[in-house]
PDB file of all heavy atoms in Angstrom:
ATOM      1  N   LEU A 240      87.169-181.660   7.288  1.00 89.00           N
ATOM      2  CA  LEU A 240      87.529-180.818   6.344  1.00 89.00           C
ATOM      3  C   LEU A 240      87.742-179.400   6.862  1.00 89.00           C
ATOM      4  O   LEU A 240      86.767-178.690   7.221  1.00 89.00           O
ATOM      5  CB  LEU A 240      86.435-180.664   5.187  1.00 89.00           C
ATOM      6  CG  LEU A 240      85.975-181.890   4.499  1.00 89.00           C
ATOM      7  CD1 LEU A 240      84.777-181.694   3.596  1.00 89.00           C
ATOM      8  CD2 LEU A 240      87.096-182.609   3.738  1.00 89.00           C
ATOM      9  N   PRO A 241      88.950-178.986   7.146  1.00 87.00           N
ATOM     10  CA  PRO A 241      89.196-177.728   7.859  1.00 87.00           C
ATOM     11  C   PRO A 241      88.765-176.515   7.010  1.00 87.00           C
ATOM     12  O   PRO A 241      88.882-176.501   5.877  1.00 87.00           O
ATOM     13  CB  PRO A 241      90.776-177.664   7.987  1.00 87.00           C
ATOM     14  CG  PRO A 241      91.155-179.092   7.889  1.00 87.00           C
ATOM     15  CD  PRO A 241      90.241-179.804   6.924  1.00 87.00           C
ATOM     16  N   LYS A 242      88.040-175.570   7.755  1.00 84.00           N
ATOM     17  CA  LYS A 242      87.503-174.463   6.995  1.00 84.00           C
ATOM     18  C   LYS A 242      88.728-173.472   6.587  1.00 84.00           C
ATOM     19  O   LYS A 242      89.626-173.367   7.267  1.00 84.00           O
ATOM     20  CB  LYS A 242      86.607-173.658   7.885  1.00 84.00           C
ATOM     21  CG  LYS A 242      85.225-174.424   8.162  1.00 84.00           C
ATOM     22  CD  LYS A 242      84.297-173.560   9.007  1.00 84.00           C
ATOM     23  CE  LYS A 242      83.013-174.190   9.337  1.00 84.00           C
ATOM     24  NZ  LYS A 242      82.180-173.399  10.125  1.00 84.00           N
ATOM     25  N   GLY A 243      88.513-172.851   5.432  1.00 77.00           N
ATOM     26  CA  GLY A 243      89.631-171.847   5.128  1.00 77.00           C
ATOM     27  C   GLY A 243      89.452-170.711   6.034  1.00 77.00           C
ATOM     28  O   GLY A 243      90.587-170.119   6.379  1.00 77.00           O
ATOM     29  N   THR A 244      88.321-170.259   6.476  1.00 78.00           N
ATOM     30  CA  THR A 244      88.217-169.122   7.439  1.00 78.00           C
ATOM     31  C   THR A 244      87.318-169.633   8.562  1.00 78.00           C
ATOM     32  O   THR A 244      86.179-169.954   8.398  1.00 78.00           O
ATOM     33  CB  THR A 244      87.492-167.898   6.863  1.00 78.00           C
ATOM     34  OG1 THR A 244      88.331-167.571   5.718  1.00 78.00           O
ATOM     35  CG2 THR A 244      87.423-166.862   7.805  1.00 78.00           C
ATOM     36  N   PRO A 245      87.932-169.731   9.829  1.00 78.00           N
ATOM     37  CA  PRO A 245      87.140-170.288  10.953  1.00 78.00           C
ATOM     38  C   PRO A 245      85.954-169.389  11.213  1.00 78.00           C
ATOM     39  O   PRO A 245      85.952-168.243  10.996  1.00 78.00           O
ATOM     40  CB  PRO A 245      88.115-170.219  12.004  1.00 78.00           C
ATOM     41  CG  PRO A 245      89.476-170.218  11.414  1.00 78.00           C
ATOM     42  CD  PRO A 245      89.327-169.509  10.214  1.00 78.00           C
ATOM     43  N   GLY A 246      84.848-169.974  11.771  1.00 75.00           N
ATOM     44  CA  GLY A 246      83.824-169.229  12.140  1.00 75.00           C
ATOM     45  C   GLY A 246      82.477-169.957  11.812  1.00 75.00           C
ATOM     46  O   GLY A 246      82.515-170.971  11.084  1.00 75.00           O
ATOM     47  N   THR A 247      81.359-169.473  12.331  1.00 69.00           N
ATOM     48  CA  THR A 247      80.041-170.122  12.029  1.00 69.00           C
ATOM     49  C   THR A 247      79.001-169.047  11.734  1.00 69.00           C
ATOM     50  O   THR A 247      79.208-167.855  12.142  1.00 69.00           O
ATOM     51  CB  THR A 247      79.533-170.902  13.271  1.00 69.00           C
ATOM     52  OG1 THR A 247      79.401-169.970  14.387  1.00 69.00           O
ATOM     53  CG2 THR A 247      80.454-171.980  13.640  1.00 69.00           C
ATOM     54  N   ASP A 248      78.036-169.500  10.894  1.00 68.00           N
ATOM     55  CA  ASP A 248      76.882-168.588  10.698  1.00 68.00           C
ATOM     56  C   ASP A 248      75.598-169.479  10.678  1.00 68.00           C
ATOM     57  O   ASP A 248      75.808-170.685  10.575  1.00 68.00           O
ATOM     58  CB  ASP A 248      77.049-167.701   9.420  1.00 68.00           C
ATOM     59  CG  ASP A 248      77.124-168.461   8.246  1.00 68.00           C
ATOM     60  OD1 ASP A 248      76.002-169.207   7.896  1.00 68.00           O
ATOM     61  OD2 ASP A 248      78.106-168.513   7.487  1.00 68.00           O
ATOM     62  N   PRO A 249      74.469-168.882  10.679  1.00 61.00           N
ATOM     63  CA  PRO A 249      73.272-169.773  10.690  1.00 61.00           C
ATOM     64  C   PRO A 249      73.069-170.713   9.555  1.00 61.00           C
ATOM     65  O   PRO A 249      72.442-171.638   9.593  1.00 61.00           O
ATOM     66  CB  PRO A 249      72.139-168.679  10.755  1.00 61.00           C
ATOM     67  CG  PRO A 249      72.689-167.476  11.385  1.00 61.00           C
ATOM     68  CD  PRO A 249      74.110-167.387  10.853  1.00 61.00           C
ATOM     69  N   ASN A 250      73.722-170.310   8.370  1.00 64.00           N
ATOM     70  CA  ASN A 250      73.546-171.166   7.229  1.00 64.00           C
ATOM     71  C   ASN A 250      74.613-172.134   6.999  1.00 64.00           C
ATOM     72  O   ASN A 250      74.770-172.851   6.063  1.00 64.00           O
ATOM     73  CB  ASN A 250      73.455-170.301   5.975  1.00 64.00           C
ATOM     74  CG  ASN A 250      72.075-170.128   5.478  1.00 64.00           C
ATOM     75  OD1 ASN A 250      71.266-171.091   5.735  1.00 64.00           O
ATOM     76  ND2 ASN A 250      71.687-169.038   4.878  1.00 64.00           N
ATOM     77  N   ASP A 251      75.565-172.179   8.013  1.00 75.00           N
ATOM     78  CA  ASP A 251      76.730-173.195   7.941  1.00 75.00           C
ATOM     79  C   ASP A 251      76.217-174.627   8.101  1.00 75.00           C
ATOM     80  O   ASP A 251      75.557-174.985   9.080  1.00 75.00           O
ATOM     81  CB  ASP A 251      77.705-172.870   9.040  1.00 75.00           C
ATOM     82  CG  ASP A 251      78.982-172.339   8.445  1.00 75.00           C
ATOM     83  OD1 ASP A 251      79.133-172.281   7.238  1.00 75.00           O
ATOM     84  OD2 ASP A 251      79.880-172.029   9.330  1.00 75.00           O
ATOM     85  N   ARG A 252      76.519-175.419   7.001  1.00 81.00           N
ATOM     86  CA  ARG A 252      76.204-176.869   7.191  1.00 81.00           C
ATOM     87  C   ARG A 252      77.421-177.648   7.486  1.00 81.00           C
ATOM     88  O   ARG A 252      78.569-177.275   7.005  1.00 81.00           O
ATOM     89  CB  ARG A 252      75.641-177.339   5.813  1.00 81.00           C
ATOM     90  CG  ARG A 252      74.342-176.748   5.449  1.00 81.00           C
ATOM     91  CD  ARG A 252      73.932-177.332   4.097  1.00 81.00           C
ATOM     92  NE  ARG A 252      72.593-176.801   3.725  1.00 81.00           N
ATOM     93  CZ  ARG A 252      71.922-177.372   2.649  1.00 81.00           C
ATOM     94  NH1 ARG A 252      72.422-178.346   1.961  1.00 81.00           N
ATOM     95  NH2 ARG A 252      70.772-176.881   2.309  1.00 81.00           N
ATOM     96  N   LEU A 253      77.361-178.590   8.395  1.00 88.00           N
ATOM     97  CA  LEU A 253      78.567-179.303   8.786  1.00 88.00           C
ATOM     98  C   LEU A 253      79.025-180.087   7.544  1.00 88.00           C
ATOM     99  O   LEU A 253      80.225-180.249   7.400  1.00 88.00           O
ATOM    100  CB  LEU A 253      78.252-180.175   9.901  1.00 88.00           C
ATOM    101  CG  LEU A 253      79.519-180.912  10.542  1.00 88.00           C
ATOM    102  CD1 LEU A 253      80.508-179.821  11.170  1.00 88.00           C
ATOM    103  CD2 LEU A 253      79.119-181.986  11.467  1.00 88.00           C
ATOM    104  N   ILE A 254      78.158-180.712   6.857  1.00 87.00           N
ATOM    105  CA  ILE A 254      78.463-181.662   5.775  1.00 87.00           C
ATOM    106  C   ILE A 254      78.882-180.830   4.620  1.00 87.00           C
ATOM    107  O   ILE A 254      78.151-179.994   3.948  1.00 87.00           O
ATOM    108  CB  ILE A 254      77.302-182.576   5.372  1.00 87.00           C
ATOM    109  CG1 ILE A 254      76.890-183.338   6.529  1.00 87.00           C
ATOM    110  CG2 ILE A 254      77.776-183.456   4.129  1.00 87.00           C
ATOM    111  CD1 ILE A 254      75.659-184.238   6.240  1.00 87.00           C
ATOM    112  N   GLY A 255      80.244-180.835   4.253  1.00 84.00           N
ATOM    113  CA  GLY A 255      80.777-180.112   3.096  1.00 84.00           C
ATOM    114  C   GLY A 255      80.715-181.022   1.821  1.00 84.00           C
ATOM    115  O   GLY A 255      80.552-180.441   0.720  1.00 84.00           O
ATOM    116  N   ILE A 256      80.960-182.283   2.050  1.00 83.00           N
ATOM    117  CA  ILE A 256      80.955-183.119   0.800  1.00 83.00           C
ATOM    118  C   ILE A 256      80.161-184.418   1.238  1.00 83.00           C
ATOM    119  O   ILE A 256      80.391-184.981   2.237  1.00 83.00           O
ATOM    120  CB  ILE A 256      82.293-183.580   0.452  1.00 83.00           C
ATOM    121  CG1 ILE A 256      83.142-182.400   0.089  1.00 83.00           C
ATOM    122  CG2 ILE A 256      82.384-184.623  -0.734  1.00 83.00           C
ATOM    123  CD1 ILE A 256      84.624-182.701  -0.258  1.00 83.00           C
ATOM    124  N   GLY A 257      79.261-184.847   0.373  1.00 77.00           N
ATOM    125  CA  GLY A 257      78.490-186.105   0.621  1.00 77.00           C
ATOM    126  C   GLY A 257      77.034-185.859   0.853  1.00 77.00           C
ATOM    127  O   GLY A 257      76.593-184.662   0.662  1.00 77.00           O
ATOM    128  N   PRO A 258      76.284-186.908   1.175  1.00 80.00           N
ATOM    129  CA  PRO A 258      76.751-188.163   1.565  1.00 80.00           C
ATOM    130  C   PRO A 258      77.091-189.016   0.261  1.00 80.00           C
ATOM    131  O   PRO A 258      76.309-188.899  -0.727  1.00 80.00           O
ATOM    132  CB  PRO A 258      75.659-188.845   2.320  1.00 80.00           C
ATOM    133  CG  PRO A 258      74.397-188.112   1.812  1.00 80.00           C
ATOM    134  CD  PRO A 258      74.847-186.764   1.487  1.00 80.00           C
ATOM    135  N   GLY A 259      78.164-189.770   0.264  1.00 64.00           N
ATOM    136  CA  GLY A 259      78.532-190.660  -0.906  1.00 64.00           C
ATOM    137  C   GLY A 259      77.814-191.970  -0.656  1.00 64.00           C
ATOM    138  O   GLY A 259      77.459-192.461   0.389  1.00 64.00           O
ATOM    139  N   GLY A 260      77.797-192.639  -1.806  1.00 54.00           N
ATOM    140  CA  GLY A 260      77.269-193.988  -1.823  1.00 54.00           C
ATOM    141  C   GLY A 260      77.608-194.730  -3.071  1.00 54.00           C
ATOM    142  O   GLY A 260      77.889-194.197  -4.036  1.00 54.00           O
ATOM    143  N   ALA A 261      77.683-196.034  -3.061  1.00 49.00           N
ATOM    144  CA  ALA A 261      77.985-196.835  -4.149  1.00 49.00           C
ATOM    145  C   ALA A 261      76.865-197.138  -5.133  1.00 49.00           C
ATOM    146  O   ALA A 261      75.731-196.989  -4.646  1.00 49.00           O
ATOM    147  CB  ALA A 261      78.539-198.144  -3.661  1.00 49.00           C
ATOM    148  N   GLY A 262      77.118-197.315  -6.310  1.00 50.00           N
ATOM    149  CA  GLY A 262      76.051-197.616  -7.336  1.00 50.00           C
ATOM    150  C   GLY A 262      76.574-197.481  -8.715  1.00 50.00           C
ATOM    151  O   GLY A 262      77.830-197.534  -8.951  1.00 50.00           O
ATOM    152  N   TYR A 263      75.695-197.613  -9.636  1.00 48.00           N
ATOM    153  CA  TYR A 263      76.077-197.515 -11.083  1.00 48.00           C
ATOM    154  C   TYR A 263      75.265-196.434 -11.772  1.00 48.00           C
ATOM    155  O   TYR A 263      74.180-196.159 -11.252  1.00 48.00           O
ATOM    156  CB  TYR A 263      75.942-198.864 -11.753  1.00 48.00           C
ATOM    157  CG  TYR A 263      74.519-199.335 -11.910  1.00 48.00           C
ATOM    158  CD1 TYR A 263      73.722-199.163 -12.943  1.00 48.00           C
ATOM    159  CD2 TYR A 263      74.028-200.226 -10.799  1.00 48.00           C
ATOM    160  CE1 TYR A 263      72.439-199.666 -13.051  1.00 48.00           C
ATOM    161  CE2 TYR A 263      72.694-200.640 -10.832  1.00 48.00           C
ATOM    162  CZ  TYR A 263      72.040-200.433 -12.019  1.00 48.00           C
ATOM    163  OH  TYR A 263      70.719-200.849 -12.083  1.00 48.00           O
ATOM    164  N   VAL A 264      75.821-195.919 -12.880  1.00 54.00           N
ATOM    165  CA  VAL A 264      75.090-194.815 -13.536  1.00 54.00           C
ATOM    166  C   VAL A 264      74.249-195.479 -14.598  1.00 54.00           C
ATOM    167  O   VAL A 264      74.713-196.237 -15.434  1.00 54.00           O
ATOM    168  CB  VAL A 264      76.152-193.841 -14.118  1.00 54.00           C
ATOM    169  CG1 VAL A 264      75.425-192.737 -14.967  1.00 54.00           C
ATOM    170  CG2 VAL A 264      77.015-193.307 -13.064  1.00 54.00           C
ATOM    171  N   ASN A 265      72.958-195.027 -14.674  1.00 70.00           N
ATOM    172  CA  ASN A 265      72.058-195.572 -15.682  1.00 70.00           C
ATOM    173  C   ASN A 265      71.447-194.553 -16.651  1.00 70.00           C
ATOM    174  O   ASN A 265      70.357-194.679 -17.095  1.00 70.00           O
ATOM    175  CB  ASN A 265      70.951-196.356 -14.995  1.00 70.00           C
ATOM    176  CG  ASN A 265      70.029-195.442 -14.369  1.00 70.00           C
ATOM    177  OD1 ASN A 265      70.284-194.312 -13.921  1.00 70.00           O
ATOM    178  ND2 ASN A 265      68.767-196.061 -14.080  1.00 70.00           N
ATOM    179  N   ASP A 266      72.178-193.443 -16.902  1.00 79.00           N
ATOM    180  CA  ASP A 266      71.594-192.349 -17.730  1.00 79.00           C
ATOM    181  C   ASP A 266      71.237-192.824 -19.098  1.00 79.00           C
ATOM    182  O   ASP A 266      70.154-192.438 -19.638  1.00 79.00           O
ATOM    183  CB  ASP A 266      72.641-191.222 -17.831  1.00 79.00           C
ATOM    184  CG  ASP A 266      72.843-190.491 -16.531  1.00 79.00           C
ATOM    185  OD1 ASP A 266      71.950-190.552 -15.711  1.00 79.00           O
ATOM    186  OD2 ASP A 266      73.903-189.963 -16.286  1.00 79.00           O
ATOM    187  N   ALA A 267      72.206-193.542 -19.790  1.00 84.00           N
ATOM    188  CA  ALA A 267      71.856-194.001 -21.205  1.00 84.00           C
ATOM    189  C   ALA A 267      70.603-194.901 -21.227  1.00 84.00           C
ATOM    190  O   ALA A 267      69.822-194.740 -22.073  1.00 84.00           O
ATOM    191  CB  ALA A 267      73.097-194.724 -21.794  1.00 84.00           C
ATOM    192  N   GLU A 268      70.522-195.875 -20.313  1.00 84.00           N
ATOM    193  CA  GLU A 268      69.475-196.746 -20.277  1.00 84.00           C
ATOM    194  C   GLU A 268      68.169-196.016 -20.113  1.00 84.00           C
ATOM    195  O   GLU A 268      67.075-196.329 -20.815  1.00 84.00           O
ATOM    196  CB  GLU A 268      69.696-197.772 -19.166  1.00 84.00           C
ATOM    197  CG  GLU A 268      68.504-198.783 -18.998  1.00 84.00           C
ATOM    198  CD  GLU A 268      68.732-199.667 -17.787  1.00 84.00           C
ATOM    199  OE1 GLU A 268      69.845-199.742 -17.249  1.00 84.00           O
ATOM    200  OE2 GLU A 268      67.739-200.231 -17.276  1.00 84.00           O
ATOM    201  N   CYS A 269      68.097-195.117 -19.144  1.00 86.00           N
ATOM    202  CA  CYS A 269      66.856-194.319 -18.901  1.00 86.00           C
ATOM    203  C   CYS A 269      66.542-193.370 -20.020  1.00 86.00           C
ATOM    204  O   CYS A 269      65.300-193.372 -20.392  1.00 86.00           O
ATOM    205  CB  CYS A 269      67.028-193.471 -17.627  1.00 86.00           C
ATOM    206  SG  CYS A 269      66.910-194.317 -16.071  1.00 86.00           S
ATOM    207  N   LEU A 270      67.467-192.799 -20.736  1.00 90.00           N
ATOM    208  CA  LEU A 270      67.141-191.985 -21.845  1.00 90.00           C
ATOM    209  C   LEU A 270      66.581-192.749 -22.917  1.00 90.00           C
ATOM    210  O   LEU A 270      65.484-192.408 -23.615  1.00 90.00           O
ATOM    211  CB  LEU A 270      68.435-191.219 -22.260  1.00 90.00           C
ATOM    212  CG  LEU A 270      68.229-190.233 -23.399  1.00 90.00           C
ATOM    213  CD1 LEU A 270      67.169-189.227 -23.166  1.00 90.00           C
ATOM    214  CD2 LEU A 270      69.606-189.545 -23.795  1.00 90.00           C
ATOM    215  N   LYS A 271      67.197-193.941 -23.307  1.00 90.00           N
ATOM    216  CA  LYS A 271      66.715-194.725 -24.282  1.00 90.00           C
ATOM    217  C   LYS A 271      65.284-195.247 -24.083  1.00 90.00           C
ATOM    218  O   LYS A 271      64.448-195.173 -24.960  1.00 90.00           O
ATOM    219  CB  LYS A 271      67.669-195.875 -24.560  1.00 90.00           C
ATOM    220  CG  LYS A 271      67.224-196.851 -25.626  1.00 90.00           C
ATOM    221  CD  LYS A 271      68.217-198.001 -25.753  1.00 90.00           C
ATOM    222  CE  LYS A 271      67.744-199.083 -26.828  1.00 90.00           C
ATOM    223  NZ  LYS A 271      68.722-200.191 -26.963  1.00 90.00           N
ATOM    224  N   THR A 272      65.088-195.716 -22.879  1.00 89.00           N
ATOM    225  CA  THR A 272      63.744-196.224 -22.501  1.00 89.00           C
ATOM    226  C   THR A 272      62.671-195.122 -22.640  1.00 89.00           C
ATOM    227  O   THR A 272      61.570-195.359 -23.138  1.00 89.00           O
ATOM    228  CB  THR A 272      63.746-196.855 -21.114  1.00 89.00           C
ATOM    229  OG1 THR A 272      64.782-197.872 -21.086  1.00 89.00           O
ATOM    230  CG2 THR A 272      62.452-197.297 -20.688  1.00 89.00           C
ATOM    231  N   THR A 273      63.036-193.959 -22.153  1.00 90.00           N
ATOM    232  CA  THR A 273      62.099-192.814 -22.217  1.00 90.00           C
ATOM    233  C   THR A 273      61.680-192.451 -23.603  1.00 90.00           C
ATOM    234  O   THR A 273      60.544-192.250 -23.934  1.00 90.00           O
ATOM    235  CB  THR A 273      62.679-191.596 -21.462  1.00 90.00           C
ATOM    236  OG1 THR A 273      62.913-191.927 -20.100  1.00 90.00           O
ATOM    237  CG2 THR A 273      61.696-190.453 -21.625  1.00 90.00           C
ATOM    238  N   VAL A 274      62.669-192.376 -24.432  1.00 92.00           N
ATOM    239  CA  VAL A 274      62.456-191.963 -25.841  1.00 92.00           C
ATOM    240  C   VAL A 274      61.564-193.028 -26.555  1.00 92.00           C
ATOM    241  O   VAL A 274      60.635-192.639 -27.243  1.00 92.00           O
ATOM    242  CB  VAL A 274      63.831-191.760 -26.633  1.00 92.00           C
ATOM    243  CG1 VAL A 274      63.537-191.541 -28.114  1.00 92.00           C
ATOM    244  CG2 VAL A 274      64.510-190.491 -26.055  1.00 92.00           C
ATOM    245  N   LEU A 275      62.010-194.293 -26.367  1.00 91.00           N
ATOM    246  CA  LEU A 275      61.148-195.307 -26.978  1.00 91.00           C
ATOM    247  C   LEU A 275      59.683-195.445 -26.433  1.00 91.00           C
ATOM    248  O   LEU A 275      58.757-195.654 -27.226  1.00 91.00           O
ATOM    249  CB  LEU A 275      61.768-196.732 -26.758  1.00 91.00           C
ATOM    250  CG  LEU A 275      63.103-197.016 -27.500  1.00 91.00           C
ATOM    251  CD1 LEU A 275      63.779-198.298 -27.019  1.00 91.00           C
ATOM    252  CD2 LEU A 275      62.869-197.026 -28.963  1.00 91.00           C
ATOM    253  N   GLY A 276      59.546-195.056 -25.223  1.00 89.00           N
ATOM    254  CA  GLY A 276      58.267-195.091 -24.604  1.00 89.00           C
ATOM    255  C   GLY A 276      57.284-194.005 -25.136  1.00 89.00           C
ATOM    256  O   GLY A 276      56.039-194.115 -25.213  1.00 89.00           O
ATOM    257  N   LYS A 277      57.917-192.857 -25.578  1.00 90.00           N
ATOM    258  CA  LYS A 277      57.139-191.763 -26.029  1.00 90.00           C
ATOM    259  C   LYS A 277      56.977-191.696 -27.567  1.00 90.00           C
ATOM    260  O   LYS A 277      56.154-191.089 -28.105  1.00 90.00           O
ATOM    261  CB  LYS A 277      57.774-190.472 -25.640  1.00 90.00           C
ATOM    262  CG  LYS A 277      57.841-190.136 -24.131  1.00 90.00           C
ATOM    263  CD  LYS A 277      56.463-189.914 -23.588  1.00 90.00           C
ATOM    264  CE  LYS A 277      56.484-189.699 -22.102  1.00 90.00           C
ATOM    265  NZ  LYS A 277      55.049-189.409 -21.534  1.00 90.00           N
ATOM    266  N   ALA A 278      57.859-192.440 -28.183  1.00 87.00           N
ATOM    267  CA  ALA A 278      57.883-192.324 -29.707  1.00 87.00           C
ATOM    268  C   ALA A 278      56.659-192.786 -30.445  1.00 87.00           C
ATOM    269  O   ALA A 278      56.280-192.129 -31.450  1.00 87.00           O
ATOM    270  CB  ALA A 278      59.034-193.200 -30.190  1.00 87.00           C
ATOM    271  N   LYS A 279      55.937-193.761 -29.878  1.00 82.00           N
ATOM    272  CA  LYS A 279      54.740-194.329 -30.649  1.00 82.00           C
ATOM    273  C   LYS A 279      53.429-193.896 -30.020  1.00 82.00           C
ATOM    274  O   LYS A 279      52.397-194.467 -30.402  1.00 82.00           O
ATOM    275  CB  LYS A 279      54.807-195.859 -30.553  1.00 82.00           C
ATOM    276  CG  LYS A 279      56.100-196.459 -31.275  1.00 82.00           C
ATOM    277  CD  LYS A 279      56.091-196.144 -32.742  1.00 82.00           C
ATOM    278  CE  LYS A 279      57.264-196.865 -33.430  1.00 82.00           C
ATOM    279  NZ  LYS A 279      57.349-196.716 -34.913  1.00 82.00           N
ATOM    280  N   ARG A 280      53.455-192.985 -29.056  1.00 85.00           N
ATOM    281  CA  ARG A 280      52.190-192.657 -28.336  1.00 85.00           C
ATOM    282  C   ARG A 280      51.189-191.884 -29.101  1.00 85.00           C
ATOM    283  O   ARG A 280      49.969-191.825 -28.978  1.00 85.00           O
ATOM    284  CB  ARG A 280      52.542-191.845 -27.024  1.00 85.00           C
ATOM    285  CG  ARG A 280      53.116-192.658 -25.989  1.00 85.00           C
ATOM    286  CD  ARG A 280      53.492-191.845 -24.866  1.00 85.00           C
ATOM    287  NE  ARG A 280      52.402-191.001 -24.250  1.00 85.00           N
ATOM    288  CZ  ARG A 280      51.476-191.365 -23.438  1.00 85.00           C
ATOM    289  NH1 ARG A 280      51.522-192.648 -22.888  1.00 85.00           N
ATOM    290  NH2 ARG A 280      50.616-190.558 -23.005  1.00 85.00           N
ATOM    291  N   TYR A 281      51.625-191.151 -30.233  1.00 83.00           N
ATOM    292  CA  TYR A 281      50.752-190.184 -30.874  1.00 83.00           C
ATOM    293  C   TYR A 281      50.467-190.610 -32.379  1.00 83.00           C
ATOM    294  O   TYR A 281      50.063-189.736 -33.148  1.00 83.00           O
ATOM    295  CB  TYR A 281      51.364-188.793 -30.792  1.00 83.00           C
ATOM    296  CG  TYR A 281      51.836-188.527 -29.353  1.00 83.00           C
ATOM    297  CD1 TYR A 281      53.092-188.339 -29.055  1.00 83.00           C
ATOM    298  CD2 TYR A 281      50.877-188.398 -28.388  1.00 83.00           C
ATOM    299  CE1 TYR A 281      53.482-188.188 -27.814  1.00 83.00           C
ATOM    300  CE2 TYR A 281      51.173-188.171 -27.004  1.00 83.00           C
ATOM    301  CZ  TYR A 281      52.519-188.034 -26.720  1.00 83.00           C
ATOM    302  OH  TYR A 281      52.868-187.755 -25.486  1.00 83.00           O
ATOM    303  N   GLY A 282      50.787-191.791 -32.806  1.00 79.00           N
ATOM    304  CA  GLY A 282      50.560-192.219 -34.075  1.00 79.00           C
ATOM    305  C   GLY A 282      51.327-191.395 -35.114  1.00 79.00           C
ATOM    306  O   GLY A 282      52.428-190.900 -34.786  1.00 79.00           O
ATOM    307  N   THR A 283      50.826-191.137 -36.317  1.00 82.00           N
ATOM    308  CA  THR A 283      51.603-190.347 -37.379  1.00 82.00           C
ATOM    309  C   THR A 283      51.150-188.946 -37.210  1.00 82.00           C
ATOM    310  O   THR A 283      49.970-188.581 -37.507  1.00 82.00           O
ATOM    311  CB  THR A 283      51.230-190.915 -38.772  1.00 82.00           C
ATOM    312  OG1 THR A 283      51.601-192.271 -38.820  1.00 82.00           O
ATOM    313  CG2 THR A 283      51.951-190.134 -39.807  1.00 82.00           C
TER     314      THR A 283
END
């Protein structure tokens, strides 16, 4: 990934994008499970 402005500084990280990895998104499943798990903990 060529830099827009060449040069280095102490905070320069070589990795500009990534690391990437394969997988699937489970946001809906986790949110539903969490809500159901907390819903009955405190009675009425």
Side-chain angles (χ1 to χ4, degrees):
L240 304 174
K242 292 182 180 179
T244 302
T247 59
D248 68 60
N250 258 327
D251 247 357
R252 296 181 176 190
L253 186 70
I254 300 171
I256 302 176
Y263 63 93
V264 179
N265 70 338
D266 290 337
E268 178 187 342
C269 280
L270 180 57
K271 179 180 175 179
T272 300
T273 297
V274 171
L275 289 173
K277 296 292 184 179
K279 300 292 186 181
R280 284 175 56 84
Y281 310 112
T283 302

